Amino acid sequence: MDKRFNNRQYTNQILIVLIIFILLFLFFLISENTFVSYRTIINNKILISLALSIIIVFFLLISFYYNNITSTKKQNELALKIQAQERKIRNEILNSLNNHNDYFCLVDSKSNIVWANEACLKVDEYMIGKNINDVFLTINELHGQESIFQNAIEKKQTISKTKYYKQDATHTTEKYIKFNYTPLFNIDDEPIYLFISAIDVTVITQSITSKGRINSVIEASEDAIFVIDKQGIILSWNSSANKIFGYTADEVIGQPLTILDHFIDFEILISIVNNYSTHSIKHIDLIPCKRLDKKMFVSFTVYPYFDETGEILGISIIVKDKTDIVLSQNALIESEKKMRNLALHLDNIRESERKQIAFAIHDELGYALSSIKKDVEWLQNKLNLEDSNIKTRITEMSELIDTSIQKVKDISLNLRPSILDHFGLAAAIEWQAGEFQRRMSIRCKVNIEPPDLNVEENVKVPIFRIFQEALTNITRYAKAFRVDVNLTLKNNILELNVIDNGIGIPENKINDPNSFGLLGIKEKANSIGGIAIIKRNENGPGTTVSLRLELNKSNIIKNEPNRK
């Protein structure tokens, strides 16, 4: 390139000298007043003009030659300096590539490797001079490589191709390698080298793949999922968010989160934006969503996400539509309320019927049996009892009537103890405890504070039935020999504790849906606004059945009738 430039420069200078020579020659030839003194000596005008022109041209040639030498020297010095800089830059580039973990190599037009960095040489330290296909490609991978090289040269641009290597004996982990084929040309635009770089893009590829999968999952999610930055600006928005809030991604991305304030309470939105200052996950459940077409309830799960240094980048928000759940729960609660009201109503009816039946049996059947007993006694006095058969028969009839009268009393008491109606709750519990102790031979100690404790009808009957059921369970399962009963009323709080020293209730039976007796105790307590707790004793064997009930003043009767 420098030689051709110099040749063109010399040609131009010679042409300039010739042109000057011709012009000077013509000038001296036609001039009448020039060098008059010389004409007197030499009368040849042409020779004088020619001689003068040659002398001037000679000096011009010397001047041009000197300039050429000086210019050529400077150009050579500049060229050497540029070449030195190019060599330095090339060496620095090669050193940089040489210390790189990725693969770099130069391939000539015959596909032979002429240079490779250290990473390449680790694959094959003798690869210089070998064909690149023999070094990097297997037989199955050779197909198509020549077309890639040729295509890069023809298009005069870099061609990239990413190749996947699965985990096998050669590769300890799966890898994605990106090959870049860059053709290099000389000044005549002829290809001389192909620069090949092989870069491990496994992390980037897997990250992109993972991000694509996550985006697919987010987009397919039935929950609204969106992301905001620390300033509360919405960065992403999935299709489910569109369904819940009615905004498309194009409408909300770039907008502040408070754009949703006509759906969600503004204070809640502000608390979500301010959550970036903490590193904890925040749950906000059952938030009313004010839509015009229907009533909705949603829950928010808010959690910040971080960079590698732990700096909070923004907040991810998951919004679940819990409308169906809330409506189902409300329906279930309403259904349970109706069922409890129905059960309470049926229990009240049953209690009323038991009371009526008990009174009917006690009054009417008891009265009838008492009358029959008197008639039998009258017959016994009137008849001739010398006949032993008649005497025996009348005696048996009288005993049978006495037994029937006692059974009527027992049935009446079991249906509805009259003592509960006539003398109140405390007396009824003392009587029931005495009957329990008499029948079961289990010591039963009763403590009532205050002694004259009594409550209204709507409260005392369920409490008495709870006490009865507790004694029934002790009889059936406890294997106890001692029972302590404490009934107290303090500061309008009534507490009933029935404590036995038996084997103790198994833990799995406490909340067993098939333990109907315990369920009955809990439901009766709930029906009057109390809480029933059944548990094993902490300081010893046995079980404790506790009832705690807060009473209204109207439910408390301060002066109980005297009881015997």
Side-chain angles (χ1 to χ4, degrees):
M1 181 177 178
D2 293 338
K3 289 182 179 179
R4 275 188 276 182
F5 175 77
N6 290 333
N7 291 334
R8 284 196 295 269
Q9 188 177 20
Y10 293 150
T11 302
N12 292 335
Q13 290 175 355
I14 291 171
L15 289 174
I16 291 171
V17 170
L18 289 175
I19 292 171
I20 292 173
F21 174 76
I22 294 170
L23 291 175
L24 287 172
F25 177 75
L26 294 174
F27 171 77
F28 291 126
L29 185 63
I30 63 176
S31 176
E32 295 293 336
N33 298 317
T34 307
F35 303 109
V36 177
S37 61
Y38 288 100
R39 288 200 196 95
T40 58
I41 301 171
I42 301 172
N43 197 22
N44 193 337
K45 190 177 182 178
I46 296 175
L47 290 176
I48 293 173
S49 298
L50 181 60
L52 291 174
S53 299
I54 290 173
I55 292 170
I56 294 173
V57 167
F58 175 76
F59 284 106
L60 289 175
L61 286 175
I62 292 174
S63 176
F64 284 151
Y65 179 73
Y66 176 78
N67 289 334
N68 286 338
I69 292 174
T70 305
S71 176
T72 301
K73 184 178 179 181
K74 290 181 178 179
Q75 289 176 358
N76 290 336
E77 290 176 352
L78 180 61
L80 290 174
K81 186 176 181 180
I82 292 174
Q83 289 176 359
Q85 289 179 345
E86 289 177 349
R87 281 195 299 271
K88 183 179 178 182
I89 293 172
R90 182 183 64 186
N91 291 334
E92 290 179 353
I93 292 173
L94 292 179
N95 288 334
S96 176
L97 296 177
N98 204 38
N99 296 325
H100 208 281
N101 293 327
D102 296 321
Y103 300 152
F104 299 98
C105 64
L106 274 177
V107 180
D108 61 16
S109 59
K110 296 180 180 180
S111 297
N112 294 324
I113 301 173
V114 296
W115 175 86
N117 69 340
E118 290 185 3
C120 269
L121 293 175
K122 289 180 181 179
V123 177
D124 183 356
E125 60 180 330
Y126 304 107
M127 68 169 56
I128 304 298
K130 291 184 179 180
N131 190 287
I132 188 172
N133 295 330
D134 299 332
V135 177
F136 289 105
L137 304 178
T138 64
I139 295 176
N140 296 329
E141 296 172 330
L142 284 174
H143 179 70
Q145 294 302 314
E146 295 293 340
S147 62
I148 293 175
F149 299 160
Q150 191 63 32
N151 195 16
I153 292 172
E154 290 177 355
K155 291 186 177 180
K156 297 182 179 181
Q157 63 183 23
T158 300
I159 293 180
S160 300
K161 180 181 179 182
T162 301
K163 181 174 177 56
Y164 170 72
Y165 295 91
K166 65 180 180 180
Q167 183 177 355
D168 53 19
T170 306
H171 305 90
T172 56
T173 59
E174 65 173 4
K175 286 185 177 296
Y176 291 88
I177 305 297
K178 182 179 181 181
F179 291 91
N180 297 310
Y181 305 92
T182 304
L184 303 177
F185 301 88
N186 60 15
I187 59 175
D188 295 325
D189 209 22
E190 296 174 350
I192 54 174
Y193 295 113
L194 188 68
F195 180 73
I196 301 176
S197 63
I199 303 173
D200 187 349
V201 292
T202 304
V203 175
I204 298 174
T205 304
Q206 289 178 341
S207 176
I208 294 173
T209 303
S210 177
K211 184 178 180 180
R213 291 172 182 169
I214 292 174
N215 288 338
S216 298
V217 171
I218 290 175
E219 192 61 27
S221 174
E222 294 182 356
D223 299 328
I225 302 175
F226 52 95
V227 176
I228 62 174
D229 62 15
K230 292 194 293 185
Q231 286 72 40
I233 304 300
I234 299 173
L235 303 178
S236 68
W237 188 264
N238 72 341
S239 57
S240 294
N242 181 9
K243 294 178 182 178
I244 292 177
F245 297 105
Y247 284 120
T248 64
D250 293 337
E251 292 173 330
V252 298
I253 291 179
Q255 298 293 327
L257 182 63
T258 50
I259 193 176
L260 305 178
D261 62 349
H262 56 285
F263 292 109
I264 306 298
D265 185 73
F266 183 80
E267 296 297 330
I268 294 176
L269 297 177
I270 293 299
S271 69
I272 292 173
V273 174
N274 292 335
N275 193 64
Y276 77 88
S277 59
T278 67
H279 286 64
S280 61
I281 297 176
K282 182 177 183 180
H283 297 282
I284 310 175
D285 206 10
L286 301 183
I287 302 172
C289 184
K290 297 170 284 189
R291 284 183 47 161
L292 296 177
D293 55 342
K294 63 178 180 179
K295 186 178 182 180
M296 290 184 65
F297 293 90
V298 296
S299 68
F300 278 71
T301 301
V302 182
Y303 58 95
Y305 62 94
F306 314 89
D307 61 13
E308 296 177 352
T309 63
E311 180 72 18
I312 295 179
L313 298 178
I315 300 173
S316 298
I317 303 171
I318 300 176
V319 182
K320 291 181 178 290
D321 183 357
K322 289 196 171 184
T323 304
D324 293 338
I325 296 175
V326 171
L327 294 178
S328 298
Q329 288 177 343
N330 291 340
L332 181 61
I333 292 171
E334 187 65 23
S335 176
E336 288 181 353
K337 183 178 179 180
K338 291 179 179 179
M339 292 297 294
R340 282 181 172 172
N341 290 337
L342 177 60
L344 180 61
H345 177 66
L346 294 176
D347 196 50
N348 291 335
I349 292 175
R350 183 169 60 251
E351 201 64 47
S352 177
E353 290 176 347
R354 292 174 71 170
K355 181 178 180 180
Q356 293 176 2
I357 293 172
F359 286 164
I361 290 174
H362 182 273
D363 294 343
E364 296 179 13
L365 189 56
Y367 175 77
L369 290 173
S370 298
S371 299
I372 293 173
K373 180 177 174 67
K374 290 185 178 295
D375 290 342
V376 170
E377 289 176 352
W378 182 82
L379 286 174
Q380 189 175 15
N381 294 330
K382 295 295 182 180
L383 293 177
N384 184 7
L385 297 180
E386 294 179 357
D387 189 343
S388 59
N389 291 331
I390 295 175
K391 183 178 180 181
T392 301
R393 192 62 177 265
I394 290 176
T395 302
E396 290 177 352
M397 290 175 61
S398 179
E399 291 175 353
L400 181 61
I401 292 171
D402 290 337
T403 302
S404 298
I405 291 173
Q406 186 60 42
K407 286 184 178 181
V408 165
K409 289 181 179 181
D410 293 339
I411 292 171
S412 176
L413 289 173
N414 287 332
L415 286 173
R416 174 75 172 226
S418 59
I419 192 172
L420 182 63
D421 298 303
H422 296 154
F423 296 99
L425 178 63
I429 286 180
E430 287 181 343
W431 168 81
Q432 186 68 62
E435 287 294 303
F436 173 79
Q437 180 172 286
R438 180 179 61 80
R439 291 197 316 269
M440 305 306 300
S441 299
I442 297 175
R443 177 188 173 281
C444 187
K445 182 180 178 181
V446 179
N447 176 47
I448 299 177
E449 291 292 338
D452 60 348
L453 185 153
N454 196 17
V455 292
E456 288 291 343
E457 174 80 13
N458 62 331
V459 175
K460 69 180 179 182
V461 174
I463 295 174
F464 181 74
R465 293 303 182 191
I466 289 172
F467 177 64
Q468 280 187 319
E469 184 62 36
L471 294 180
T472 300
N473 286 334
I474 293 173
T475 302
R476 291 178 178 177
Y477 310 112
K479 298 181 182 179
F481 57 85
R482 174 173 175 167
V483 177
D484 292 313
V485 181
N486 296 308
L487 179 64
T488 61
L489 177 62
K490 186 177 181 180
N491 298 327
N492 295 337
I493 302 297
L494 184 144
E495 291 188 3
L496 171 66
N497 293 295
V498 182
I499 307 168
D500 67 70
N501 65 344
I503 60 175
I505 184 172
E507 293 290 341
N508 62 329
K509 290 292 183 181
I510 294 177
N511 296 311
D512 188 353
N514 294 320
S515 299
F516 297 109
L518 301 182
L519 288 176
I521 289 175
K522 293 177 181 179
E523 285 301 318
K524 280 184 172 62
N526 184 70
S527 68
I528 56 176
I531 299 175
I533 300 175
I534 299 96
K535 63 180 181 180
R536 293 174 64 92
N537 294 337
E538 296 178 356
N539 300 323
T543 304
T544 298
V545 177
S546 300
L547 169 66
R548 179 180 174 85
L549 173 63
E550 183 176 357
L551 297 175
N552 298 324
K553 292 183 179 180
S554 59
N555 290 328
I556 301 173
I557 301 176
K558 292 185 178 180
N559 296 319
E560 184 181 5
N562 293 329
R563 59 181 185 274
K564 296 181 181 180

